[in-house]
Amino acid sequence: MMIATSNTITSSGKIAVVTKGRARISCIGTRSFLLEAPGEFDLPAQRWIWALAQTVRGWADIAEVIPGMTNLLAILKETPEDPELITIRLLEAWNSAESLDLAGKTIEIPVHYGGAHAIDLPAICDFCGLSDREVVRLHHEASYRVFALGSAPGFGYLHGLDPRIYMPRKTVPSLRMEKGSVTIGGMQTGVAMLTGPNGWNSLGHAELQMFDPTSATPALMMPGDIVRFLPARIEL
């Protein structure tokens, strides 16, 4: 088994070796291949996914590449005669991919924490054992990176949540969560793009328009962007 590594600088200034590990590849239909990065949901894994996407986009037989959250979907123009060869190519590309950091913009999102839209804040507090003010503080003091877009038009999967306010997704989704709800789902946070069923946990609301289909760049967020939530109002 091939193991690839890279170096990263720790907070103490020392160089630490980060092991990339062996990716897992699954066939999705006859023309699509999903590569999933091993290990933790973290920034080093996502940087390798960003690098892999750049490489695979250059292949002549690729119709579309969709980088996800520590995974990548490669869609071929035609059904391959030998799918195993595609798997081998993807694994080789993964093993040789260098870490790539996308230079994104900084997005500041004013949030009304608490109030009528924070339907899950009490449950978050119960699960974490923290007060509502502490949950809100930990959420808005963090800085987040957009790993990928998906689920709904313009929805960004954000990495950087403080582990102290980790909250599992609901086993039974809310039937009608409002567009703009600021939510936590596992170790991720995000802003609901649509009003409807949602399994994440809401602790506030944002009025900022995150997706404009009439714009030349409809989605406000892009992979690599930095997101900060600003407490425009706290109602607890």
Side-chain angles (χ1 to χ4, degrees):
M1 179 176 68
M2 296 180 64
I3 299 293
T5 62
S6 71
N7 294 333
T8 187
I9 305 297
T10 67
S11 58
S12 64
K14 297 180 180 179
I15 296 178
V17 176
V18 180
T19 302
K20 186 187 297 185
R22 184 176 177 86
R24 183 176 67 176
I25 297 181
S26 308
C27 292
I28 310 296
T30 60
R31 295 191 297 118
S32 301
F33 294 78
L34 179 68
L35 181 144
E36 299 174 83
E40 300 295 326
F41 164 63
D42 58 20
L43 188 54
Q46 192 64 31
R47 285 172 172 160
W48 276 315
I49 289 293
W50 289 338
L52 179 66
Q54 190 176 74
T55 297
V56 176
R57 283 193 184 100
W59 294 357
D61 53 350
I62 288 291
E64 187 175 6
V65 174
I66 304 173
M69 190 176 56
T70 63
N71 61 53
L72 178 140
L73 184 67
I75 305 175
L76 299 177
K77 295 176 181 177
E78 299 179 357
T79 300
E81 293 183 4
D82 188 349
E84 182 64 22
L85 292 179
I86 304 300
T87 297
I88 292 172
R89 287 172 63 195
L90 283 171
L91 286 175
E92 289 177 345
W94 167 254
N95 287 323
S96 62
E98 300 289 339
S99 179
L100 174 65
D101 197 14
L102 299 180
K105 60 187 179 295
T106 297
I107 302 170
E108 295 183 338
I109 302 177
V111 178
H112 175 184
Y113 284 102
H117 293 291
I119 57 176
D120 303 301
L121 185 54
I124 296 172
C125 294
D126 288 344
F127 184 85
C128 300
L130 300 172
S131 69
D132 50 8
R133 292 191 179 277
E134 188 70 359
V135 169
V136 167
R137 181 186 69 81
L138 292 173
H139 187 267
H140 76 70
E141 285 186 352
S143 180
Y144 303 92
R145 289 293 298 274
V146 181
F147 270 22
L149 301 183
S151 177
F155 180 78
Y157 288 97
L158 307 182
H159 174 268
L161 187 75
D162 191 302
R164 288 173 288 179
I165 55 174
Y166 163 89
M167 181 66 180
R169 300 185 191 188
K170 301 172 185 176
T171 55
V172 179
S174 300
L175 294 181
R176 182 180 171 83
M177 186 176 288
E178 294 295 322
K179 173 184 176 182
S181 294
V182 178
T183 57
I184 294 174
M187 273 303 296
Q188 302 169 59
T189 189
V191 181
M193 296 292 107
L194 304 168
T195 295
N198 196 311
W200 290 36
N201 305 276
S202 179
L203 70 161
H205 190 266
E207 295 290 342
L208 183 66
Q209 185 172 4
M210 309 295 294
F211 184 80
D212 180 5
T214 66
S215 172
T217 53
L220 177 63
M221 295 184 189
M222 294 296 291
D225 286 348
I226 298 171
V227 174
R228 296 295 307 272
F229 292 103
L230 307 181
R233 181 182 178 189
I234 299 178
E235 182 184 354
L236 304 173

